[in-house]
Amino acid sequence: MTGQEQGQQGGAGLEAIGEDRAAGSEAYFVPVGPDTYLPSEHAGGAWSDDELHISPVGALLVEHLERWRAQHADPDKVLGRISIDILGQLRRGPIELSTRMLRPGRTIELLETTAVIAGRETLRARSWVMSVQETAEVAGTELPPLPGPEGLPERSMAEDWTGGFIHSISLRDAEPKRPGRGRSWLRAEHPLIEREEVGELATFLIPVDASNGIAVRETPREWMFPNLDLTIHLMRRPTGRWLGLDTTVSFGPTGQGLTSSVLHDQEGPLGSVQQTLTVRPIPREA
């Protein structure tokens, strides 16, 4: 056996070990190499058993971005926006992440993070980061706060959805949901990465893409409305693990849709989440 063949055999063995670890892991992802992760069952998608849910994968991109910035850029700048384009189905498989600087600057930078999943470029995220300024004297918003999550009634998203990720989060409603409208708190009940310390921002954002599922306008058993992107705008850093969503879901007459949410932590509103939807009926069996 040549050295190259031995290396390939060793790599395959490591991947198999990683798959075994991921299968039994309580985290969403297991590291198996530099900037490479395998998903556990808790990252399973809501539309298909053979895909991943964008929500924990998006949080993994944010964590990679933050780690890259700590080593290669100014870590004291703050994230103002991250916009993730979904380029294809999020298949179950190894996730390879990379980040690069697109636009350096003293006060403003633009970075790009890419996820290659199962050998295919699947996600591309662009993030604006900006220098910290002292603006406390003018800070304020007219966005109404959500009632805190303590004591609110719990609800299972499994009423509408399937998949490992849906079963991994806690949901509490600030008011009864109705079609296309919901005000709820969510919290991920598993760590993002096995045996690794993860930043507060990525941990907070683990359930953020579930905004498209907390107040469905039509049942996902009859209609599909997956999102093509996920864009998060922040006006301050979040605190804590409870993520609040004041969500409105709208469908247009030609297959377009939009999920818009005001993002909260327990200190109040802190940003927004937007998702472009492709709306279409599920074909009926003859």
Side-chain angles (χ1 to χ4, degrees), residues 144-157:
L146 280 176
E150 294 82 2
L152 294 180
E154 298 183 7
R155 172 168 61 94
S156 172
M157 290 186 70

Side-chain angles (χ1 to χ4, degrees), residues 238-262:
T239 60
R241 292 179 57 199
W242 279 108
L243 179 149
L245 294 167
D246 190 337
T247 296
T248 302
V249 181
S250 303
F251 291 169
T254 55
Q256 298 161 282
L258 176 66
T259 296
S260 300
S261 302
V262 177

Side-chain angles (χ1 to χ4, degrees), residues 22-62:
S25 178
E26 286 300 307
Y28 292 101
F29 302 102
V30 169
V32 292
D35 303 316
T36 304
Y37 303 86
L38 282 176
S40 74
E41 63 178 352
H42 303 302
W47 294 104
S48 174
D49 291 338
D50 63 350
E51 67 180 11
L52 303 176
H53 201 290
I54 177 61
S55 206
V57 182
L60 187 66
L61 263 69
V62 171

Side-chain angles (χ1 to χ4, degrees), residues 11 17 35 45 61 83 91 132 192 204-205 223 229 242 246 249:
I17 293 172
D35 303 316
L61 263 69
S83 183
R91 299 188 181 278
V132 175
L192 183 64
F204 176 80
L205 290 175
W223 288 87
D229 59 7
W242 279 108
D246 190 337
V249 181

